[in-house]
Amino acid sequence: MAETPHTVLAVDIYNDKIKHLLDLPAPATEARRQPWHGRIQFHRLNIKHDSRLEGLIKMSNLTINLAAICTPADYNTRPLDTIYSNFIDALPVVRYCSENNKRLIHFSTCEVYGKTIGSFLPRITL
């Protein structure tokens, strides 16, 4: 965002982790001094069932889906919720991108890769 003129249409059910990036009403906020000032449009909605999603995808050149359960402890204790959240719930995004001939980048999550080689190596303490 600091190096390009792109505009981002951000969609999520919460904005608490990016509030500092969004335009805030006070004129002297940190967000207003950033190079992306005015180029992040946040839309609070749930990708599973909100009629506004298709319109937002139609407006975009590229959709990057980051929606997922991303707490490793949940992968073992809530495996079905994880699959639903990371893949099944994202189907409307995939469908709208396909129907509207829009590019989609869908990030996977670490449960796809399973254990890394590092998890099998002995721990070395110094």
Side-chain angles (χ1 to χ4, degrees):
M1 292 294 294
E3 299 172 5
T4 69
H6 299 300
T7 298
V8 171
L9 301 177
V11 174
D12 203 341
I13 53 177
Y14 305 109
N15 70 353
D16 54 321
K17 293 184 180 178
I18 63 166
K19 279 183 184 178
H20 63 286
L21 301 174
L22 302 174
D23 289 335
L24 304 171
T29 64
E30 184 68 23
R32 295 198 185 280
R33 292 190 291 271
Q34 300 301 331
W36 55 80
H37 168 68
R39 295 187 292 129
I40 300 175
Q41 300 171 18
F42 181 78
H43 300 268
R44 183 178 299 239
L45 60 91
N46 188 322
I47 64 170
K48 292 189 292 187
H49 47 72
D50 194 305
S51 60
R52 297 173 291 169
L53 180 63
E54 184 174 17
L56 292 171
I57 289 174
K58 283 181 178 180
M59 293 171 39
S60 68
N61 295 318
L62 170 67
T63 298
I64 303 173
N65 181 32
L66 301 171
I69 291 177
C70 47
T71 309
D74 289 338
Y75 303 156
N76 294 322
T77 59
R78 299 173 44 208
L80 291 179
D81 290 340
T82 301
I83 295 297
Y84 270 90
S85 175
N86 298 0
F87 300 103
I88 306 301
D89 292 347
L91 284 176
V93 174
V94 175
R95 185 177 68 243
Y96 293 144
C97 286
S98 176
E99 290 172 356
N100 293 287
N101 200 27
K102 298 293 183 174
R103 292 174 30 202
L104 169 65
I105 296 174
H106 178 84
F107 281 84
S108 187
T109 56
C110 66
E111 76 269 1
V112 172
Y113 306 110
K115 290 186 175 185
T116 64
I117 190 69
S119 66
F120 296 101
L121 297 175
R123 294 187 185 254
I124 299 172
T125 55
L126 300 175

